[in-house]
Amino acid sequence: VPPIGANEELEKHLKTTVQIIDMMKILSKILIALSFVHCGHAFCNPRPRLPSARTSPPLSCQTHNPSRHHRGGVLKSTASADAPAAGTQQSEQRTEDLISTVSKLKRVLAQEYISFFDPMVSSWYKSDVTFVDPLTSLSGVDSYRNNVDMLAGRTLMGKLLFDGAGINLHSVTGGEITDSDGRVQVDDVITRWTLRVTAKVLPWKPEAVFSGISVYKLQPGGKEGITIVGQTDYWDSINIKEGMDPSIPQTQYQKVSKSSAIQDFLGQLKPDGFRAAAAAPELPYLLLRRGDGYELRRYPGFVGIETPYERRDYGFGSLGAFAKDMNPLAPSIMKVYNDNDDAVFKEKTMTWPLQYTNPGEGREAPPPPPAATEKAGDGQWRSISLSSQSERVVAVRTFEDAAMGPVVRNADRELRAMLKRDGLMPMEGSEEFVTFAQYDAVHSMGKRRGEVWIELKCGGHPF
């Protein structure tokens, strides 16, 4: 048999085989590690994002279930009117104590998420508490703590495999108290979260993103007065059941096979390929949901410049000349009406964000830059106006083909079908037009990034 070096073709095939085997070993290590990790919570988004999040929906925007409570339980008493006064008073006091304890538990959970369970307050958990998520199941506080430490990079294996794990908690709800003839029951506490973690063991360092809910089963008793006896996690990307009421997460989310979870995870580890260069830094947002085929994002209020256009490259040219030295942001946001047979013609418009509202500064758009105020609508800039947009929640579907009319409208139809499937409601009138975003420079090379956007109405989403 000749030496390997004598057969270049054979050597090439052997090297390829070795590379494939090595990559399969790496992927196996990641899957084994994640199968022991409670992948329930964290902060995600490989793109720019807002540095803070709410633990309750904005006060100005009522959610699907206006009666849900974020700071403690609600007494639902069905006690008999004929019960002795002393017993009734004792029962009421016990219920009030439980309401206070549930409120404290919610604050403890919020702090655990923020600190990525460092420390984990084990006194609230039953010693043999069960944890279940789409990839794995385990029991015991120590098992959970050890595996969260690995995901966070606080163990040797975690430092080798993962990077950038963090937490973004969107809300903590539930925990209402029911007192029926002296029998007290505590409803589930539900958290909504987003998780990100980078698989740094792979050369291209892909980031896996998950969002979903955790359902905490509670019992009265224990060291703190309330004990977590079980926790079940669901992912928005695979566990949402079609046509169910989003205001009742326990029925909207359903368990699926582990193979679905593995497929969802591996799909995020693929190399992304050569991407077109971004036209500008991106407008930040908070990722609320990575769903099946779409995302939900909360964008801050922003002020921008807007122009009507016939050809997109002309719009780019006009806004680019106007915004020189103003540091505009991506994406370019286009709005095109579907039916222009009305008496008043509705022009296509292009908007570039200029400045956005920072967390803690409110929901409205910031004031425009003085240079933009001085120029807009005057002389050669008469077609360019200032545009303000308050904070909003937007559903997004990505497409990679050129942003031609049929492509954009098809992506819009697909997104609307997904929103209906998952019980999400667009703003009234949004069906009259399509809004799409372009992130790449005009005529750039590589895989392009285009998106269709549909704004959701207040009360049309669980955030």
Side-chain angles (χ1 to χ4, degrees), residues 292-425:
D292 181 7
Y294 68 95
E295 291 182 355
L296 296 186
R297 304 173 184 169
R298 176 177 283 121
Y299 279 97
F302 71 85
V303 63
I305 50 176
E306 181 178 289
T307 186
Y309 72 94
E310 283 298 321
R311 285 178 41 172
R312 220 173 306 154
D313 53 348
Y314 290 175
F316 273 91
S318 297
L319 294 181
F322 179 93
K324 184 179 180 181
D325 298 325
M326 294 185 191
N327 300 318
L329 301 168
S332 299
I333 306 168
M334 277 68 69
K335 183 176 181 179
V336 180
Y337 282 86
N338 292 318
D339 186 359
N340 249 329
D341 295 332
D342 298 339
V344 179
F345 181 76
K346 299 173 182 175
E347 295 180 300
K348 298 184 291 186
T349 60
M350 178 183 292
T351 301
W352 285 11
L354 291 179
Q355 294 181 351
Y356 58 89
T357 302
N358 291 310
E361 296 180 355
R363 303 183 66 250
E364 300 306 315
T373 303
E374 292 173 5
K375 293 166 59 176
D378 187 35
Q380 64 175 321
W381 312 118
R382 60 185 178 276
S383 66
I384 296 178
S385 59
L386 299 176
S387 174
S388 295
Q389 175 65 60
S390 60
E391 181 183 280
R392 57 181 175 165
V393 173
V394 176
V396 177
R397 178 161 173 77
T398 301
F399 60 89
E400 295 177 355
D401 294 328
M404 307 297 289
V407 173
V408 173
R409 288 189 167 87
N410 183 63
D412 181 83
R413 285 192 295 269
E414 291 175 340
L415 179 55
R416 291 183 186 278
M418 293 171 184
L419 299 181
K420 183 177 181 181
R421 175 197 68 197
D422 292 350
L424 302 167
M425 293 179 282

Side-chain angles (χ1 to χ4, degrees), residues 8 42 61 85 89 127 135 160 168 175 177 182 189 196 209 227 236 246 263 271 273 278 337 405 420:
E8 294 182 359
C61 183
Q89 291 176 357
S127 59
L135 276 176
L160 293 174
N168 198 336
I177 309 298
V189 163
R196 71 162 187 181
V209 178
T227 301
D236 292 326
Q263 183 178 359
Y337 282 86
K420 183 177 181 181

Side-chain angles (χ1 to χ4, degrees), residues 67-82:
S67 64
R68 68 185 185 178
H69 297 266
H70 296 256
R71 293 199 178 109
V74 172
L75 172 61
K76 305 178 196 172
S77 179
T78 58
S80 170
D82 297 327

